[in-house]
Amino acid sequence: MLLMSSVVLLTACDMLDIQPTGKVIPQTLAEYRALIATAYKNVPDARGLACFRSDELYVKDDSWEQDRYGKIECWDDFSAPGQTTSFEWKNFYSIMFTANYTIEERNSINEGSEEDIDQLIGECYLLRAYMHFLLVNLYGQPYTRPGALETKAVPLKLNSDINEILKKNTVAQIYEAVLSDINEAEKLINKESWEQKFSYRFTTLSVKALRARVYLYMGQWENAYKAAEAVLTGKNSLEDFNDEAFMLPNHYQSVENITALERGMSSNYTQAAVLSEALASSYGEGDLRLDAYFKPTDKNGYRFSQKSGKDDFRCSFRVGEMYLNSAEAAAQSDKLPQARIRLLELMEKRYTPEAYAAKATAVNAMNKEALIQEILNERARELAFEGHRWFDLRRTTRPRIEKVLKGGTYVLEQDDQRYTIQIPREAIAANPELSN
């Protein structure tokens, strides 16, 4: 398997224009860099697919889309899958194999400076951390759910042994490994930024951004606040929606983009996903995001996303999320003034001046409970269709969701077991240990 490793080299013409040029056994830094490019390229769009389970969208009433996403939309995880799109499994572990092998071969990499080799190995640690983090948040119990830490989730993969029979590790073990890898990445990653065509690669800010998100999901509010503020110390520019020249903030060229790796929603998802009435109605008067983020209603009453479906919209971490992470963590830590500041700084760039003035008055009068709820509501509006909503529902209250679809009523109860997705059948068939 290793001897036949495919190496994919980047062309210089476009950020995401990646072309295969042959097969080699990697030896030089350039060859290992190309190998990691394949891993970056294969990061799944799993966060976007998971959002079909959320309340921010519904599936277009079309047989093609219904066959692929209809069962996901109504949380039907136990009937025969048919043509239902499967959640990713194999690609996560393939990516980690590549990262692990590169880490293990660190001392054999030649024709590269020590600094550049450190950078590449650091990216491998962070990539491994992020893959484990996504896996545990798809297939493991939410970290903040009582009793979740000792429950079995997914297997840790920290080596390149392809003969190892993988067994599930606990939620606590996965998060411990994620944080350890983030710390290792921080020691090695030294690039503060890349030119735009390489903006999918991790940087020093990527390390801080992932740490902020991980701590937020763990409910470690003080750590989450410090990590988010560390990001904002290095980068805090926001797109101003009152400026006609603003760019959608999850565009890879946006001033907000920190790491342009994942597509929140692929083109297939975007064609199937329709803005829900619940989310549409949450954008109040003077909120400029509704028309910025979504196309006008078509003849069928559908509103589709304008911020996804193209490779230009690649974003794993961005500044707007960090403002919200900081605000939420500050509010949960009883730092209400700091929480209000960060929330209002974001709102000022997203509302008309008149609407912002009203929002500022309301936010400054809110108590802790109301402020936290407003921050969570703002997350739903700000990060819509970027692959966050399902994960946010899971990590917070796991609320009751009711959907009326094609004349039927479907309910996801409060803290329902279906807030954790089942490991794909094909993965269990290949490794029965995953059923335990």
Side-chain angles (χ1 to χ4, degrees), residues 366-421:
M366 289 176 179
N367 61 20
K368 177 179 177 179
E369 182 179 1
L371 181 58
I372 291 171
Q373 187 57 58
E374 180 65 14
I375 293 166
L376 295 177
N377 292 343
E378 194 66 15
R379 282 186 72 90
R381 294 186 284 263
E382 174 65 20
L383 303 176
F385 284 52
E386 292 183 40
H388 289 273
R389 182 60 177 167
W390 176 249
F391 284 7
D392 278 346
L393 292 172
R394 276 173 40 86
R395 71 176 179 83
T396 54
T397 60
R398 297 173 291 285
R400 183 182 188 275
I401 303 176
E402 181 176 312
K403 297 181 180 180
V404 179
L405 306 167
K406 299 172 288 295
T409 300
Y410 301 86
V411 177
L412 188 69
E413 296 292 354
Q414 173 84 39
D415 203 22
D416 197 296
Q417 65 176 341
R418 291 171 295 174
Y419 268 108
T420 296
I421 297 170

Short mmCIF file of all heavy atoms in Angstrom, two decimals, residues 366-421:
data_model
loop_
_atom_site.label_atom_id
_atom_site.label_comp_id
_atom_site.label_asym_id
_atom_site.label_seq_id
_atom_site.Cartn_x
_atom_site.Cartn_y
_atom_site.Cartn_z
N MET A 366 -29.39 42.65 28.64
CA MET A 366 -29.62 41.22 28.86
C MET A 366 -28.88 40.70 30.09
O MET A 366 -27.74 41.07 30.35
CB MET A 366 -29.18 40.41 27.63
CG MET A 366 -30.07 40.57 26.42
SD MET A 366 -29.40 39.67 25.00
CE MET A 366 -30.69 40.03 23.78
N ASN A 367 -29.55 39.79 30.81
CA ASN A 367 -28.87 39.07 31.87
C ASN A 367 -28.08 37.90 31.26
O ASN A 367 -28.10 37.71 30.04
CB ASN A 367 -29.86 38.58 32.93
CG ASN A 367 -30.90 37.61 32.37
OD1 ASN A 367 -30.71 37.00 31.30
ND2 ASN A 367 -32.01 37.45 33.08
N LYS A 368 -27.41 37.14 32.09
CA LYS A 368 -26.54 36.08 31.60
C LYS A 368 -27.29 35.07 30.73
O LYS A 368 -26.85 34.73 29.63
CB LYS A 368 -25.86 35.36 32.76
CG LYS A 368 -24.97 34.19 32.35
CD LYS A 368 -24.32 33.53 33.56
CE LYS A 368 -23.49 32.31 33.13
NZ LYS A 368 -22.82 31.67 34.30
N GLU A 369 -28.41 34.58 31.21
CA GLU A 369 -29.15 33.56 30.48
C GLU A 369 -29.62 34.07 29.12
O GLU A 369 -29.47 33.39 28.10
CB GLU A 369 -30.36 33.10 31.31
CG GLU A 369 -31.17 31.99 30.65
CD GLU A 369 -32.35 31.55 31.51
OE1 GLU A 369 -32.54 32.12 32.61
OE2 GLU A 369 -33.08 30.65 31.09
N ALA A 370 -30.17 35.29 29.11
CA ALA A 370 -30.66 35.86 27.85
C ALA A 370 -29.50 36.12 26.89
O ALA A 370 -29.63 35.93 25.67
CB ALA A 370 -31.43 37.14 28.12
N LEU A 371 -28.36 36.56 27.43
CA LEU A 371 -27.21 36.86 26.59
C LEU A 371 -26.67 35.59 25.93
O LEU A 371 -26.36 35.58 24.73
CB LEU A 371 -26.12 37.54 27.42
CG LEU A 371 -24.85 37.95 26.67
CD1 LEU A 371 -25.18 38.91 25.52
CD2 LEU A 371 -23.85 38.58 27.62
N ILE A 372 -26.57 34.51 26.69
CA ILE A 372 -26.09 33.25 26.12
C ILE A 372 -27.03 32.79 25.01
O ILE A 372 -26.57 32.36 23.94
CB ILE A 372 -25.96 32.17 27.22
CG1 ILE A 372 -24.81 32.52 28.16
CG2 ILE A 372 -25.75 30.79 26.60
CD1 ILE A 372 -24.72 31.64 29.38
N GLN A 373 -28.33 32.90 25.24
CA GLN A 373 -29.28 32.48 24.20
C GLN A 373 -29.15 33.35 22.95
O GLN A 373 -29.21 32.84 21.83
CB GLN A 373 -30.71 32.55 24.74
CG GLN A 373 -31.75 31.96 23.78
CD GLN A 373 -31.44 30.52 23.42
OE1 GLN A 373 -31.34 29.66 24.30
NE2 GLN A 373 -31.29 30.24 22.13
N GLU A 374 -28.93 34.64 23.15
CA GLU A 374 -28.76 35.53 22.00
C GLU A 374 -27.49 35.17 21.22
O GLU A 374 -27.47 35.20 19.98
CB GLU A 374 -28.70 36.99 22.45
CG GLU A 374 -28.52 38.00 21.34
CD GLU A 374 -29.70 38.07 20.36
OE1 GLU A 374 -30.79 37.53 20.67
OE2 GLU A 374 -29.52 38.67 19.28
N ILE A 375 -26.44 34.83 21.92
CA ILE A 375 -25.20 34.43 21.25
C ILE A 375 -25.43 33.15 20.44
O ILE A 375 -24.98 33.05 19.29
CB ILE A 375 -24.07 34.23 22.28
CG1 ILE A 375 -23.69 35.57 22.92
CG2 ILE A 375 -22.84 33.59 21.63
CD1 ILE A 375 -22.84 35.44 24.17
N LEU A 376 -26.13 32.19 21.01
CA LEU A 376 -26.42 30.95 20.28
C LEU A 376 -27.31 31.21 19.07
O LEU A 376 -27.11 30.62 18.01
CB LEU A 376 -27.06 29.92 21.22
CG LEU A 376 -26.18 29.42 22.36
CD1 LEU A 376 -26.96 28.47 23.27
CD2 LEU A 376 -24.93 28.73 21.82
N ASN A 377 -28.28 32.10 19.23
CA ASN A 377 -29.13 32.48 18.09
C ASN A 377 -28.29 33.15 16.99
O ASN A 377 -28.51 32.93 15.80
CB ASN A 377 -30.24 33.42 18.53
CG ASN A 377 -31.27 32.74 19.43
OD1 ASN A 377 -31.34 31.51 19.48
ND2 ASN A 377 -32.05 33.53 20.14
N GLU A 378 -27.35 33.97 17.43
CA GLU A 378 -26.49 34.66 16.47
C GLU A 378 -25.57 33.67 15.75
O GLU A 378 -25.27 33.84 14.56
CB GLU A 378 -25.68 35.74 17.19
CG GLU A 378 -25.01 36.74 16.28
CD GLU A 378 -25.98 37.63 15.51
OE1 GLU A 378 -27.18 37.68 15.86
OE2 GLU A 378 -25.54 38.25 14.53
N ARG A 379 -25.13 32.63 16.45
CA ARG A 379 -24.34 31.58 15.80
C ARG A 379 -25.15 30.94 14.66
O ARG A 379 -24.61 30.68 13.58
CB ARG A 379 -23.95 30.49 16.79
CG ARG A 379 -22.80 30.83 17.69
CD ARG A 379 -22.40 29.63 18.54
NE ARG A 379 -21.72 28.61 17.76
CZ ARG A 379 -20.41 28.55 17.56
NH1 ARG A 379 -19.62 29.48 18.10
NH2 ARG A 379 -19.88 27.59 16.84
N ALA A 380 -26.41 30.67 14.93
CA ALA A 380 -27.25 30.03 13.90
C ALA A 380 -27.37 30.93 12.67
O ALA A 380 -27.30 30.45 11.54
CB ALA A 380 -28.63 29.71 14.47
N ARG A 381 -27.53 32.23 12.90
CA ARG A 381 -27.68 33.16 11.77
C ARG A 381 -26.35 33.38 11.05
O ARG A 381 -26.29 33.40 9.82
CB ARG A 381 -28.24 34.50 12.28
CG ARG A 381 -29.66 34.41 12.81
CD ARG A 381 -30.21 35.79 13.17
NE ARG A 381 -29.67 36.31 14.41
CZ ARG A 381 -30.29 36.23 15.59
NH1 ARG A 381 -31.45 35.61 15.70
NH2 ARG A 381 -29.76 36.77 16.67
N GLU A 382 -25.30 33.58 11.82
CA GLU A 382 -24.00 33.92 11.23
C GLU A 382 -23.36 32.75 10.50
O GLU A 382 -22.79 32.92 9.42
CB GLU A 382 -23.06 34.41 12.34
CG GLU A 382 -21.63 34.66 11.91
CD GLU A 382 -21.49 35.81 10.91
OE1 GLU A 382 -22.41 36.64 10.80
OE2 GLU A 382 -20.45 35.84 10.22
N LEU A 383 -23.42 31.57 11.08
CA LEU A 383 -22.71 30.42 10.54
C LEU A 383 -23.60 29.50 9.72
O LEU A 383 -23.24 28.35 9.44
CB LEU A 383 -22.05 29.63 11.69
CG LEU A 383 -21.09 30.44 12.57
CD1 LEU A 383 -20.59 29.59 13.73
CD2 LEU A 383 -19.92 30.98 11.76
N ALA A 384 -24.75 30.00 9.31
CA ALA A 384 -25.72 29.19 8.56
C ALA A 384 -25.08 28.55 7.33
O ALA A 384 -24.30 29.18 6.62
CB ALA A 384 -26.90 30.06 8.13
N PHE A 385 -25.40 27.27 7.11
CA PHE A 385 -24.98 26.52 5.92
C PHE A 385 -23.45 26.42 5.80
O PHE A 385 -22.93 26.24 4.72
CB PHE A 385 -25.58 27.14 4.67
CG PHE A 385 -27.05 26.82 4.47
CD1 PHE A 385 -27.98 27.04 5.48
CD2 PHE A 385 -27.50 26.30 3.28
CE1 PHE A 385 -29.33 26.75 5.30
CE2 PHE A 385 -28.86 26.00 3.09
CZ PHE A 385 -29.77 26.22 4.10
N GLU A 386 -22.75 26.52 6.94
CA GLU A 386 -21.30 26.34 6.94
C GLU A 386 -20.89 25.07 7.67
O GLU A 386 -19.70 24.85 7.91
CB GLU A 386 -20.60 27.56 7.55
CG GLU A 386 -20.72 28.82 6.73
CD GLU A 386 -19.97 30.00 7.32
OE1 GLU A 386 -18.85 29.80 7.84
OE2 GLU A 386 -20.51 31.13 7.30
N GLY A 387 -21.85 24.25 8.06
CA GLY A 387 -21.53 22.98 8.69
C GLY A 387 -21.40 23.03 10.20
O GLY A 387 -20.83 22.11 10.80
N HIS A 388 -21.95 24.05 10.83
CA HIS A 388 -21.84 24.18 12.29
C HIS A 388 -23.12 23.79 13.04
O HIS A 388 -23.04 23.40 14.20
CB HIS A 388 -21.51 25.64 12.67
CG HIS A 388 -20.13 26.06 12.33
ND1 HIS A 388 -19.05 25.87 13.16
CD2 HIS A 388 -19.63 26.67 11.22
CE1 HIS A 388 -17.95 26.35 12.60
NE2 HIS A 388 -18.28 26.85 11.42
N ARG A 389 -24.27 23.93 12.43
CA ARG A 389 -25.53 23.90 13.18
C ARG A 389 -25.75 22.58 13.90
O ARG A 389 -26.12 22.57 15.07
CB ARG A 389 -26.70 24.22 12.24
CG ARG A 389 -28.05 24.27 12.95
CD ARG A 389 -28.09 25.31 14.04
NE ARG A 389 -29.40 25.41 14.66
CZ ARG A 389 -29.65 26.06 15.80
NH1 ARG A 389 -28.67 26.67 16.44
NH2 ARG A 389 -30.87 26.11 16.29
N TRP A 390 -25.57 21.44 13.22
CA TRP A 390 -25.82 20.15 13.88
C TRP A 390 -24.87 19.97 15.06
O TRP A 390 -25.29 19.54 16.14
CB TRP A 390 -25.64 19.02 12.88
CG TRP A 390 -25.77 17.65 13.47
CD1 TRP A 390 -24.78 16.73 13.62
CD2 TRP A 390 -26.96 17.05 14.00
NE1 TRP A 390 -25.27 15.58 14.22
CE2 TRP A 390 -26.61 15.75 14.45
CE3 TRP A 390 -28.28 17.46 14.12
CZ2 TRP A 390 -27.54 14.88 15.03
CZ3 TRP A 390 -29.21 16.60 14.69
CH2 TRP A 390 -28.84 15.32 15.14
N PHE A 391 -23.61 20.34 14.89
CA PHE A 391 -22.65 20.21 15.98
C PHE A 391 -23.01 21.14 17.14
O PHE A 391 -22.83 20.79 18.31
CB PHE A 391 -21.24 20.51 15.48
CG PHE A 391 -20.62 19.39 14.67
CD1 PHE A 391 -21.34 18.27 14.31
CD2 PHE A 391 -19.30 19.47 14.28
CE1 PHE A 391 -20.76 17.24 13.57
CE2 PHE A 391 -18.70 18.45 13.55
CZ PHE A 391 -19.44 17.33 13.19
N ASP A 392 -23.50 22.34 16.84
CA ASP A 392 -23.89 23.26 17.90
C ASP A 392 -25.10 22.74 18.68
O ASP A 392 -25.16 22.89 19.91
CB ASP A 392 -24.21 24.65 17.32
CG ASP A 392 -22.95 25.49 17.08
OD1 ASP A 392 -21.88 25.12 17.60
OD2 ASP A 392 -23.05 26.51 16.38
N LEU A 393 -26.06 22.16 17.99
CA LEU A 393 -27.20 21.58 18.69
C LEU A 393 -26.75 20.45 19.61
O LEU A 393 -27.22 20.33 20.75
CB LEU A 393 -28.23 21.05 17.67
CG LEU A 393 -28.96 22.09 16.83
CD1 LEU A 393 -29.78 21.41 15.74
CD2 LEU A 393 -29.85 22.98 17.69
N ARG A 394 -25.84 19.62 19.12
CA ARG A 394 -25.35 18.49 19.90
C ARG A 394 -24.62 18.93 21.17
O ARG A 394 -24.81 18.37 22.24
CB ARG A 394 -24.36 17.65 19.06
CG ARG A 394 -24.96 16.63 18.15
CD ARG A 394 -23.89 16.00 17.27
NE ARG A 394 -22.64 15.73 17.96
CZ ARG A 394 -22.37 14.62 18.65
NH1 ARG A 394 -23.30 13.68 18.74
NH2 ARG A 394 -21.21 14.45 19.24
N ARG A 395 -23.77 19.93 21.03
CA ARG A 395 -22.90 20.28 22.15
C ARG A 395 -23.60 21.12 23.21
O ARG A 395 -23.09 21.28 24.31
CB ARG A 395 -21.66 21.02 21.65
CG ARG A 395 -21.93 22.42 21.17
CD ARG A 395 -20.65 23.16 20.77
NE ARG A 395 -20.96 24.50 20.29
CZ ARG A 395 -21.16 25.55 21.08
NH1 ARG A 395 -21.07 25.42 22.39
NH2 ARG A 395 -21.44 26.73 20.56
N THR A 396 -24.77 21.67 22.87
CA THR A 396 -25.47 22.54 23.83
C THR A 396 -26.65 21.79 24.47
O THR A 396 -26.44 20.96 25.34
CB THR A 396 -25.93 23.84 23.14
OG1 THR A 396 -26.72 23.51 21.96
CG2 THR A 396 -24.74 24.67 22.71
N THR A 397 -27.86 22.05 24.04
CA THR A 397 -29.02 21.51 24.75
C THR A 397 -29.65 20.28 24.10
O THR A 397 -30.54 19.69 24.67
CB THR A 397 -30.10 22.60 24.87
OG1 THR A 397 -30.49 23.02 23.55
CG2 THR A 397 -29.58 23.80 25.65
N ARG A 398 -29.19 19.91 22.89
CA ARG A 398 -29.81 18.80 22.17
C ARG A 398 -31.33 18.90 22.25
O ARG A 398 -32.00 18.04 22.80
CB ARG A 398 -29.29 17.45 22.70
CG ARG A 398 -27.80 17.27 22.50
CD ARG A 398 -27.25 16.04 23.18
NE ARG A 398 -27.27 16.16 24.63
CZ ARG A 398 -26.42 16.89 25.34
NH1 ARG A 398 -25.46 17.58 24.74
NH2 ARG A 398 -26.52 16.94 26.64
N PRO A 399 -31.88 19.98 21.68
CA PRO A 399 -33.30 20.28 21.88
C PRO A 399 -34.22 19.35 21.08
O PRO A 399 -33.80 18.64 20.17
CB PRO A 399 -33.41 21.71 21.34
CG PRO A 399 -32.36 21.77 20.27
CD PRO A 399 -31.21 20.95 20.81
N ARG A 400 -35.47 19.39 21.44
CA ARG A 400 -36.51 18.69 20.68
C ARG A 400 -36.70 19.41 19.35
O ARG A 400 -36.86 20.63 19.31
CB ARG A 400 -37.82 18.67 21.45
CG ARG A 400 -38.95 17.89 20.76
CD ARG A 400 -40.22 17.97 21.59
NE ARG A 400 -41.26 17.10 21.08
CZ ARG A 400 -42.12 17.42 20.11
NH1 ARG A 400 -42.05 18.63 19.55
NH2 ARG A 400 -43.04 16.57 19.70
N ILE A 401 -36.67 18.67 18.24
CA ILE A 401 -36.91 19.24 16.92
C ILE A 401 -38.06 18.48 16.28
O ILE A 401 -38.08 17.25 16.26
CB ILE A 401 -35.67 19.13 16.02
CG1 ILE A 401 -34.46 19.81 16.66
CG2 ILE A 401 -35.94 19.74 14.65
CD1 ILE A 401 -33.17 19.64 15.85
N GLU A 402 -39.01 19.22 15.77
CA GLU A 402 -40.15 18.61 15.07
C GLU A 402 -40.17 19.12 13.63
O GLU A 402 -40.04 20.32 13.39
CB GLU A 402 -41.46 18.97 15.75
CG GLU A 402 -42.69 18.36 15.09
CD GLU A 402 -43.98 18.64 15.84
OE1 GLU A 402 -43.99 18.44 17.08
OE2 GLU A 402 -44.98 19.08 15.21
N LYS A 403 -40.28 18.20 12.69
CA LYS A 403 -40.33 18.56 11.29
C LYS A 403 -41.60 17.97 10.66
O LYS A 403 -41.92 16.80 10.89
CB LYS A 403 -39.10 18.02 10.54
CG LYS A 403 -37.78 18.60 11.00
CD LYS A 403 -36.61 18.01 10.19
CE LYS A 403 -35.27 18.56 10.63
NZ LYS A 403 -34.14 17.99 9.84
N VAL A 404 -42.28 18.79 9.87
CA VAL A 404 -43.41 18.31 9.07
C VAL A 404 -42.92 18.22 7.64
O VAL A 404 -42.62 19.23 7.00
CB VAL A 404 -44.62 19.26 9.19
CG1 VAL A 404 -45.76 18.74 8.32
CG2 VAL A 404 -45.06 19.38 10.64
N LEU A 405 -42.80 17.01 7.15
CA LEU A 405 -42.20 16.74 5.85
C LEU A 405 -43.14 15.89 5.00
O LEU A 405 -43.51 14.78 5.41
CB LEU A 405 -40.87 16.01 6.01
CG LEU A 405 -39.84 16.67 6.94
CD1 LEU A 405 -38.70 15.70 7.25
CD2 LEU A 405 -39.29 17.94 6.30
N LYS A 406 -43.55 16.42 3.88
CA LYS A 406 -44.40 15.67 2.94
C LYS A 406 -45.61 15.07 3.63
O LYS A 406 -45.96 13.90 3.43
CB LYS A 406 -43.56 14.60 2.25
CG LYS A 406 -42.39 15.17 1.43
CD LYS A 406 -41.47 14.10 0.91
CE LYS A 406 -40.64 13.48 2.02
NZ LYS A 406 -39.69 14.42 2.65
N GLY A 407 -46.22 15.86 4.50
CA GLY A 407 -47.43 15.44 5.17
C GLY A 407 -47.22 14.60 6.41
O GLY A 407 -48.18 14.30 7.14
N GLY A 408 -46.00 14.22 6.72
CA GLY A 408 -45.71 13.44 7.93
C GLY A 408 -44.98 14.27 8.96
O GLY A 408 -44.30 15.24 8.63
N THR A 409 -45.15 13.92 10.21
CA THR A 409 -44.49 14.62 11.31
C THR A 409 -43.40 13.74 11.90
O THR A 409 -43.64 12.57 12.22
CB THR A 409 -45.49 15.00 12.40
OG1 THR A 409 -46.50 15.86 11.85
CG2 THR A 409 -44.81 15.73 13.55
N TYR A 410 -42.20 14.30 12.02
CA TYR A 410 -41.06 13.57 12.54
C TYR A 410 -40.49 14.35 13.72
O TYR A 410 -40.40 15.58 13.67
CB TYR A 410 -39.98 13.41 11.46
CG TYR A 410 -40.48 12.67 10.24
CD1 TYR A 410 -41.13 13.36 9.20
CD2 TYR A 410 -40.35 11.29 10.12
CE1 TYR A 410 -41.61 12.69 8.08
CE2 TYR A 410 -40.82 10.62 9.00
CZ TYR A 410 -41.45 11.32 7.99
OH TYR A 410 -41.92 10.66 6.88
N VAL A 411 -40.11 13.63 14.77
CA VAL A 411 -39.66 14.28 15.99
C VAL A 411 -38.33 13.70 16.45
O VAL A 411 -38.15 12.47 16.51
CB VAL A 411 -40.70 14.11 17.12
CG1 VAL A 411 -40.18 14.73 18.43
CG2 VAL A 411 -42.03 14.75 16.73
N LEU A 412 -37.40 14.58 16.73
CA LEU A 412 -36.17 14.24 17.42
C LEU A 412 -36.35 14.76 18.85
O LEU A 412 -36.40 15.97 19.08
CB LEU A 412 -34.97 14.91 16.75
CG LEU A 412 -33.58 14.51 17.25
CD1 LEU A 412 -33.25 13.07 16.87
CD2 LEU A 412 -32.51 15.45 16.71
N GLU A 413 -36.47 13.85 19.79
CA GLU A 413 -36.77 14.26 21.16
C GLU A 413 -35.56 14.91 21.83
O GLU A 413 -34.43 14.79 21.37
CB GLU A 413 -37.23 13.05 21.98
CG GLU A 413 -38.52 12.40 21.51
CD GLU A 413 -39.76 13.27 21.71
OE1 GLU A 413 -39.64 14.35 22.34
OE2 GLU A 413 -40.84 12.86 21.26
N GLN A 414 -35.84 15.61 22.92
CA GLN A 414 -34.77 16.21 23.72
C GLN A 414 -33.73 15.14 24.07
O GLN A 414 -34.08 14.06 24.55
CB GLN A 414 -35.35 16.80 25.00
CG GLN A 414 -34.34 17.30 26.01
CD GLN A 414 -33.88 18.71 25.71
OE1 GLN A 414 -34.67 19.53 25.31
NE2 GLN A 414 -32.60 18.97 25.92
N ASP A 415 -32.48 15.42 23.80
CA ASP A 415 -31.37 14.51 24.12
C ASP A 415 -31.55 13.12 23.51
O ASP A 415 -31.12 12.11 24.06
CB ASP A 415 -31.19 14.40 25.63
CG ASP A 415 -29.78 13.97 26.01
OD1 ASP A 415 -28.87 14.15 25.20
OD2 ASP A 415 -29.62 13.44 27.12
N ASP A 416 -32.18 13.08 22.34
CA ASP A 416 -32.45 11.82 21.65
C ASP A 416 -31.13 11.10 21.33
O ASP A 416 -30.11 11.73 21.06
CB ASP A 416 -33.20 12.14 20.33
CG ASP A 416 -33.89 10.95 19.72
OD1 ASP A 416 -33.18 10.00 19.32
OD2 ASP A 416 -35.13 10.97 19.60
N GLN A 417 -31.16 9.75 21.36
CA GLN A 417 -29.96 8.98 21.04
C GLN A 417 -29.48 9.24 19.61
O GLN A 417 -28.30 9.07 19.28
CB GLN A 417 -30.21 7.49 21.22
CG GLN A 417 -31.26 6.91 20.28
CD GLN A 417 -31.41 5.40 20.43
OE1 GLN A 417 -30.53 4.73 20.98
NE2 GLN A 417 -32.52 4.86 19.94
N ARG A 418 -30.40 9.71 18.75
CA ARG A 418 -30.04 9.97 17.36
C ARG A 418 -29.26 11.27 17.19
O ARG A 418 -28.87 11.62 16.06
CB ARG A 418 -31.29 9.96 16.48
CG ARG A 418 -31.92 8.57 16.35
CD ARG A 418 -33.27 8.64 15.67
NE ARG A 418 -34.23 9.36 16.49
CZ ARG A 418 -35.47 9.67 16.09
NH1 ARG A 418 -35.87 9.34 14.87
NH2 ARG A 418 -36.28 10.32 16.90
N TYR A 419 -29.00 11.97 18.27
CA TYR A 419 -28.04 13.08 18.19
C TYR A 419 -26.62 12.55 17.97
O TYR A 419 -25.70 13.34 17.69
CB TYR A 419 -28.10 13.94 19.45
CG TYR A 419 -29.06 15.11 19.31
CD1 TYR A 419 -30.28 15.14 19.98
CD2 TYR A 419 -28.75 16.19 18.49
CE1 TYR A 419 -31.15 16.22 19.85
CE2 TYR A 419 -29.60 17.26 18.35
CZ TYR A 419 -30.81 17.28 19.03
OH TYR A 419 -31.66 18.34 18.88
N THR A 420 -26.43 11.25 18.12
CA THR A 420 -25.17 10.61 17.76
C THR A 420 -25.43 9.70 16.57
O THR A 420 -26.30 8.84 16.62
CB THR A 420 -24.61 9.80 18.94
OG1 THR A 420 -24.30 10.70 20.01
CG2 THR A 420 -23.34 9.05 18.53
N ILE A 421 -24.70 9.90 15.49
CA ILE A 421 -24.90 9.16 14.25
C ILE A 421 -24.28 7.77 14.38
O ILE A 421 -23.25 7.58 15.03
CB ILE A 421 -24.27 9.92 13.07
CG1 ILE A 421 -24.96 11.28 12.90
CG2 ILE A 421 -24.35 9.13 11.77
CD1 ILE A 421 -24.25 12.22 11.93
#
